[in-house]
Amino acid sequence: MNLPFQSDALGKLILRLTVGILMLFHGVHKLLNPSSLDFISKQLVGIDLPQALAYGVYLGEIIAPLLIILGLFARFGGLLVFGNMIFAIVLAHSNQLFTLTDHGGLGLELQIFYLLTGLAVFFLGSGRFAVKPD
């Protein structure tokens, strides 16, 4: 039975726009403040990875969100966001893994939101309202 407000395509669009737009803000901030990559570079060196990997943040926080928003290779964009968040959690937020905020929320709830919504886009795809529906 199709209910009047039941639409998988619209739900996928809302999910894509939510994760894409919110993540893009992080990427634009890093683009406007390139010195923010210094912290990421130092963290990478600390776990014996090359500093150049820090530029991958532009892939995960600018290119991937744009792909997701447009619905152009959205699954790939979702996978990039997921990978970006794995790195973010390992490099910058691992000390918050089992912490709670002052309001009782999980200390990593924002990071986990991006991690899982990126994964959801990967599994769900772009939906009908996309430049390249899949």
Side-chain angles (χ1 to χ4, degrees):
M1 177 170 148
N2 241 354
L3 300 173
F5 296 106
Q6 184 178 358
S7 171
D8 288 347
L10 188 56
K12 289 176 184 179
L13 176 64
I14 292 168
L15 173 68
R16 284 189 6 248
L17 292 177
T18 301
V19 67
I21 291 169
L22 292 177
M23 181 60 86
L24 190 58
F25 278 108
H26 292 271
V28 168
H29 173 75
K30 287 182 180 72
L31 197 59
L32 297 175
N33 301 290
S35 63
S36 63
L37 291 186
D38 294 342
F39 173 77
I40 299 168
S41 296
K42 289 175 187 170
Q43 296 297 320
L44 286 166
V45 168
I47 59 170
D48 296 325
L49 289 173
Q51 283 182 312
L53 281 179
Y55 291 101
V57 77
Y58 293 130
L59 228 107
E61 294 184 11
I62 294 175
I63 302 299
L66 289 173
L67 293 175
I68 291 169
I69 290 166
L70 295 172
L72 182 67
F73 303 108
R75 289 181 191 270
F76 180 63
L79 194 59
L80 286 175
V81 167
F82 178 78
N84 185 70
M85 292 316 302
I86 293 289
F87 268 92
I89 290 168
V90 168
L91 294 176
H93 302 285
S94 57
N95 62 330
Q96 296 172 302
L97 258 161
F98 302 105
T99 63
L100 297 177
T101 66
D102 293 338
H103 304 287
L106 186 62
L108 287 176
E109 65 186 26
L110 183 63
Q111 292 79 8
I112 291 172
F113 168 80
Y114 288 124
L115 179 84
L116 296 179
T117 54
L119 193 60
V121 170
F122 171 71
F123 283 118
L124 293 171
S126 64
R128 203 175 34 197
F129 303 122
V131 170
K132 185 177 182 269
D134 56 3

